[in-house]
PDB file of all heavy atoms in Angstrom:
ATOM      1  N   LEU A  97      76.711 113.930  73.398  1.00 95.00           N
ATOM      2  CA  LEU A  97      77.896 113.753  72.532  1.00 95.00           C
ATOM      3  C   LEU A  97      78.751 115.014  72.547  1.00 95.00           C
ATOM      4  O   LEU A  97      80.000 114.940  72.582  1.00 95.00           O
ATOM      5  CB  LEU A  97      77.455 113.455  71.114  1.00 95.00           C
ATOM      6  CG  LEU A  97      76.805 112.064  70.898  1.00 95.00           C
ATOM      7  CD1 LEU A  97      76.270 111.934  69.479  1.00 95.00           C
ATOM      8  CD2 LEU A  97      77.775 110.949  71.230  1.00 95.00           C
ATOM      9  N   VAL A 128      86.767 108.896  70.909  1.00 91.00           N
ATOM     10  CA  VAL A 128      85.523 109.529  71.283  1.00 91.00           C
ATOM     11  C   VAL A 128      84.839 110.169  70.098  1.00 91.00           C
ATOM     12  O   VAL A 128      83.618 110.071  69.918  1.00 91.00           O
ATOM     13  CB  VAL A 128      85.790 110.555  72.405  1.00 91.00           C
ATOM     14  CG1 VAL A 128      84.551 111.422  72.679  1.00 91.00           C
ATOM     15  CG2 VAL A 128      86.230 109.876  73.688  1.00 91.00           C
ATOM     16  N   GLY A 129      85.631 110.819  69.232  1.00 92.00           N
ATOM     17  CA  GLY A 129      85.060 111.488  68.088  1.00 92.00           C
ATOM     18  C   GLY A 129      84.462 110.497  67.082  1.00 92.00           C
ATOM     19  O   GLY A 129      83.353 110.734  66.538  1.00 92.00           O
ATOM     20  N   ALA A 130      85.167 109.397  66.840  1.00 94.00           N
ATOM     21  CA  ALA A 130      84.641 108.394  65.899  1.00 94.00           C
ATOM     22  C   ALA A 130      83.369 107.753  66.428  1.00 94.00           C
ATOM     23  O   ALA A 130      82.395 107.547  65.665  1.00 94.00           O
ATOM     24  CB  ALA A 130      85.710 107.347  65.638  1.00 94.00           C
ATOM     25  N   SER A 131      83.348 107.448  67.711  1.00 93.00           N
ATOM     26  CA  SER A 131      82.140 106.864  68.298  1.00 93.00           C
ATOM     27  C   SER A 131      80.990 107.830  68.255  1.00 93.00           C
ATOM     28  O   SER A 131      79.838 107.454  67.967  1.00 93.00           O
ATOM     29  CB  SER A 131      82.449 106.462  69.746  1.00 93.00           C
ATOM     30  OG  SER A 131      83.417 105.468  69.807  1.00 93.00           O
ATOM     31  N   ALA A 132      81.254 109.092  68.547  1.00 93.00           N
ATOM     32  CA  ALA A 132      80.202 110.105  68.501  1.00 93.00           C
ATOM     33  C   ALA A 132      79.667 110.292  67.098  1.00 93.00           C
ATOM     34  O   ALA A 132      78.441 110.442  66.903  1.00 93.00           O
ATOM     35  CB  ALA A 132      80.729 111.431  69.040  1.00 93.00           C
ATOM     36  N   ALA A 133      80.559 110.275  66.119  1.00 94.00           N
ATOM     37  CA  ALA A 133      80.119 110.431  64.729  1.00 94.00           C
ATOM     38  C   ALA A 133      79.190 109.283  64.309  1.00 94.00           C
ATOM     39  O   ALA A 133      78.168 109.509  63.651  1.00 94.00           O
ATOM     40  CB  ALA A 133      81.333 110.482  63.805  1.00 94.00           C
ATOM     41  N   LEU A 134      79.544 108.063  64.712  1.00 94.00           N
ATOM     42  CA  LEU A 134      78.705 106.922  64.394  1.00 94.00           C
ATOM     43  C   LEU A 134      77.340 107.039  65.059  1.00 94.00           C
ATOM     44  O   LEU A 134      76.278 106.783  64.446  1.00 94.00           O
ATOM     45  CB  LEU A 134      79.409 105.628  64.819  1.00 94.00           C
ATOM     46  CG  LEU A 134      78.625 104.341  64.599  1.00 94.00           C
ATOM     47  CD1 LEU A 134      78.320 104.119  63.122  1.00 94.00           C
ATOM     48  CD2 LEU A 134      79.394 103.132  65.166  1.00 94.00           C
ATOM     49  N   SER A 135      77.368 107.407  66.327  1.00 94.00           N
ATOM     50  CA  SER A 135      76.092 107.543  67.077  1.00 94.00           C
ATOM     51  C   SER A 135      75.234 108.648  66.504  1.00 94.00           C
ATOM     52  O   SER A 135      74.015 108.516  66.403  1.00 94.00           O
ATOM     53  CB  SER A 135      76.415 107.791  68.566  1.00 94.00           C
ATOM     54  OG  SER A 135      75.209 107.862  69.312  1.00 94.00           O
ATOM     55  N   LEU A 136      75.853 109.743  66.122  1.00 93.00           N
ATOM     56  CA  LEU A 136      75.111 110.870  65.554  1.00 93.00           C
ATOM     57  C   LEU A 136      74.543 110.502  64.193  1.00 93.00           C
ATOM     58  O   LEU A 136      73.415 110.897  63.829  1.00 93.00           O
ATOM     59  CB  LEU A 136      76.033 112.084  65.414  1.00 93.00           C
ATOM     60  CG  LEU A 136      75.372 113.436  65.176  1.00 93.00           C
ATOM     61  CD1 LEU A 136      74.458 113.800  66.302  1.00 93.00           C
ATOM     62  CD2 LEU A 136      76.466 114.495  64.981  1.00 93.00           C
ATOM     63  N   TRP A 137      75.281 109.721  63.437  1.00 95.00           N
ATOM     64  CA  TRP A 137      74.832 109.298  62.110  1.00 95.00           C
ATOM     65  C   TRP A 137      73.611 108.375  62.201  1.00 95.00           C
ATOM     66  O   TRP A 137      72.677 108.511  61.414  1.00 95.00           O
ATOM     67  CB  TRP A 137      75.996 108.611  61.389  1.00 95.00           C
ATOM     68  CG  TRP A 137      75.644 108.166  59.999  1.00 95.00           C
ATOM     69  CD1 TRP A 137      75.124 108.909  58.955  1.00 95.00           C
ATOM     70  CD2 TRP A 137      75.820 106.852  59.469  1.00 95.00           C
ATOM     71  NE1 TRP A 137      74.952 108.144  57.835  1.00 95.00           N
ATOM     72  CE2 TRP A 137      75.397 106.872  58.124  1.00 95.00           C
ATOM     73  CE3 TRP A 137      76.334 105.659  59.989  1.00 95.00           C
ATOM     74  CZ2 TRP A 137      75.430 105.737  57.313  1.00 95.00           C
ATOM     75  CZ3 TRP A 137      76.383 104.541  59.175  1.00 95.00           C
ATOM     76  CH2 TRP A 137      75.944 104.580  57.848  1.00 95.00           C
ATOM     77  N   THR A 138      73.654 107.448  63.141  1.00 94.00           N
ATOM     78  CA  THR A 138      72.533 106.496  63.277  1.00 94.00           C
ATOM     79  C   THR A 138      71.406 107.055  64.133  1.00 94.00           C
ATOM     80  O   THR A 138      70.267 106.539  64.070  1.00 94.00           O
ATOM     81  CB  THR A 138      73.020 105.152  63.878  1.00 94.00           C
ATOM     82  OG1 THR A 138      73.503 105.395  65.221  1.00 94.00           O
ATOM     83  CG2 THR A 138      74.114 104.562  63.067  1.00 94.00           C
ATOM     84  N   GLY A 139      71.700 108.034  64.982  1.00 93.00           N
ATOM     85  CA  GLY A 139      70.702 108.568  65.862  1.00 93.00           C
ATOM     86  C   GLY A 139      70.435 107.670  67.079  1.00 93.00           C
ATOM     87  O   GLY A 139      69.440 107.900  67.767  1.00 93.00           O
ATOM     88  N   ARG A 140      71.297 106.705  67.337  1.00 94.00           N
ATOM     89  CA  ARG A 140      71.104 105.776  68.452  1.00 94.00           C
ATOM     90  C   ARG A 140      72.241 105.960  69.450  1.00 94.00           C
ATOM     91  O   ARG A 140      73.416 105.860  69.126  1.00 94.00           O
ATOM     92  CB  ARG A 140      71.098 104.334  67.944  1.00 94.00           C
ATOM     93  CG  ARG A 140      70.028 104.077  66.882  1.00 94.00           C
ATOM     94  CD  ARG A 140      70.196 102.677  66.329  1.00 94.00           C
ATOM     95  NE  ARG A 140      69.974 101.666  67.362  1.00 94.00           N
ATOM     96  CZ  ARG A 140      70.510 100.442  67.307  1.00 94.00           C
ATOM     97  NH1 ARG A 140      71.319 100.125  66.320  1.00 94.00           N
ATOM     98  NH2 ARG A 140      70.236  99.579  68.267  1.00 94.00           N
ATOM     99  N   ASP A 143      74.962 103.267  69.913  1.00 95.00           N
ATOM    100  CA  ASP A 143      76.023 103.114  68.933  1.00 95.00           C
ATOM    101  C   ASP A 143      77.294 103.857  69.301  1.00 95.00           C
ATOM    102  O   ASP A 143      78.338 103.690  68.683  1.00 95.00           O
ATOM    103  CB  ASP A 143      75.539 103.606  67.570  1.00 95.00           C
ATOM    104  CG  ASP A 143      74.589 102.604  66.910  1.00 95.00           C
ATOM    105  OD1 ASP A 143      74.669 101.427  67.257  1.00 95.00           O
ATOM    106  OD2 ASP A 143      73.788 103.008  66.052  1.00 95.00           O
ATOM    107  N   ASN A 144      77.214 104.659  70.358  1.00 95.00           N
ATOM    108  CA  ASN A 144      78.413 105.344  70.861  1.00 95.00           C
ATOM    109  C   ASN A 144      79.406 104.313  71.445  1.00 95.00           C
ATOM    110  O   ASN A 144      80.581 104.640  71.652  1.00 95.00           O
ATOM    111  CB  ASN A 144      78.032 106.345  71.949  1.00 95.00           C
ATOM    112  CG  ASN A 144      79.178 107.245  72.337  1.00 95.00           C
ATOM    113  OD1 ASN A 144      79.887 107.790  71.482  1.00 95.00           O
ATOM    114  ND2 ASN A 144      79.391 107.418  73.655  1.00 95.00           N
ATOM    115  N   TYR A 145      78.964 103.086  71.659  1.00 95.00           N
ATOM    116  CA  TYR A 145      79.833 102.077  72.274  1.00 95.00           C
ATOM    117  C   TYR A 145      80.249 100.979  71.274  1.00 95.00           C
ATOM    118  O   TYR A 145      80.955 100.060  71.649  1.00 95.00           O
ATOM    119  CB  TYR A 145      79.088 101.411  73.443  1.00 95.00           C
ATOM    120  CG  TYR A 145      78.733 102.406  74.534  1.00 95.00           C
ATOM    121  CD1 TYR A 145      77.446 102.935  74.599  1.00 95.00           C
ATOM    122  CD2 TYR A 145      79.652 102.815  75.482  1.00 95.00           C
ATOM    123  CE1 TYR A 145      77.094 103.852  75.605  1.00 95.00           C
ATOM    124  CE2 TYR A 145      79.327 103.733  76.459  1.00 95.00           C
ATOM    125  CZ  TYR A 145      78.064 104.236  76.522  1.00 95.00           C
ATOM    126  OH  TYR A 145      77.717 105.161  77.504  1.00 95.00           O
ATOM    127  N   VAL A 146      79.800 101.080  70.013  1.00 95.00           N
ATOM    128  CA  VAL A 146      80.038  99.997  69.071  1.00 95.00           C
ATOM    129  C   VAL A 146      81.534  99.811  68.788  1.00 95.00           C
ATOM    130  O   VAL A 146      82.025  98.672  68.725  1.00 95.00           O
ATOM    131  CB  VAL A 146      79.255 100.267  67.756  1.00 95.00           C
ATOM    132  CG1 VAL A 146      79.763  99.351  66.645  1.00 95.00           C
ATOM    133  CG2 VAL A 146      77.785 100.044  67.974  1.00 95.00           C
ATOM    134  N   LEU A 147      82.271 100.891  68.593  1.00 94.00           N
ATOM    135  CA  LEU A 147      83.680 100.757  68.267  1.00 94.00           C
ATOM    136  C   LEU A 147      84.467 100.029  69.384  1.00 94.00           C
ATOM    137  O   LEU A 147      85.421  99.337  69.109  1.00 94.00           O
ATOM    138  CB  LEU A 147      84.307 102.130  67.995  1.00 94.00           C
ATOM    139  CG  LEU A 147      83.770 102.856  66.759  1.00 94.00           C
ATOM    140  CD1 LEU A 147      84.517 104.161  66.562  1.00 94.00           C
ATOM    141  CD2 LEU A 147      83.909 101.985  65.528  1.00 94.00           C
ATOM    142  N   TYR A 150      84.407  96.319  68.748  1.00 96.00           N
ATOM    143  CA  TYR A 150      85.387  95.872  67.765  1.00 96.00           C
ATOM    144  C   TYR A 150      86.814  95.870  68.328  1.00 96.00           C
ATOM    145  O   TYR A 150      87.604  94.985  68.043  1.00 96.00           O
ATOM    146  CB  TYR A 150      85.324  96.758  66.512  1.00 96.00           C
ATOM    147  CG  TYR A 150      84.097  96.528  65.675  1.00 96.00           C
ATOM    148  CD1 TYR A 150      83.046  97.437  65.675  1.00 96.00           C
ATOM    149  CD2 TYR A 150      84.008  95.394  64.867  1.00 96.00           C
ATOM    150  CE1 TYR A 150      81.908  97.230  64.906  1.00 96.00           C
ATOM    151  CE2 TYR A 150      82.875  95.165  64.099  1.00 96.00           C
ATOM    152  CZ  TYR A 150      81.841  96.073  64.113  1.00 96.00           C
ATOM    153  OH  TYR A 150      80.711  95.858  63.365  1.00 96.00           O
ATOM    154  N   TYR A 216      73.517  96.215  74.509  1.00 96.00           N
ATOM    155  CA  TYR A 216      73.459  96.978  73.270  1.00 96.00           C
ATOM    156  C   TYR A 216      72.230  96.591  72.453  1.00 96.00           C
ATOM    157  O   TYR A 216      71.474  97.473  71.986  1.00 96.00           O
ATOM    158  CB  TYR A 216      74.734  96.755  72.450  1.00 96.00           C
ATOM    159  CG  TYR A 216      74.655  97.314  71.055  1.00 96.00           C
ATOM    160  CD1 TYR A 216      74.815  98.656  70.806  1.00 96.00           C
ATOM    161  CD2 TYR A 216      74.394  96.465  69.963  1.00 96.00           C
ATOM    162  CE1 TYR A 216      74.740  99.168  69.513  1.00 96.00           C
ATOM    163  CE2 TYR A 216      74.302  96.956  68.686  1.00 96.00           C
ATOM    164  CZ  TYR A 216      74.474  98.329  68.446  1.00 96.00           C
ATOM    165  OH  TYR A 216      74.387  98.812  67.177  1.00 96.00           O
TER     166      TYR A 216
END
Side-chain angles (χ1 to χ4, degrees):
L97 292 174
V128 171
S131 297
L134 177 61
S135 183
L136 195 61
W137 181 53
T138 63
R140 302 174 64 206
D143 284 338
N144 191 47
Y145 299 99
V146 166
L147 295 184
Y150 287 105
Y216 169 79

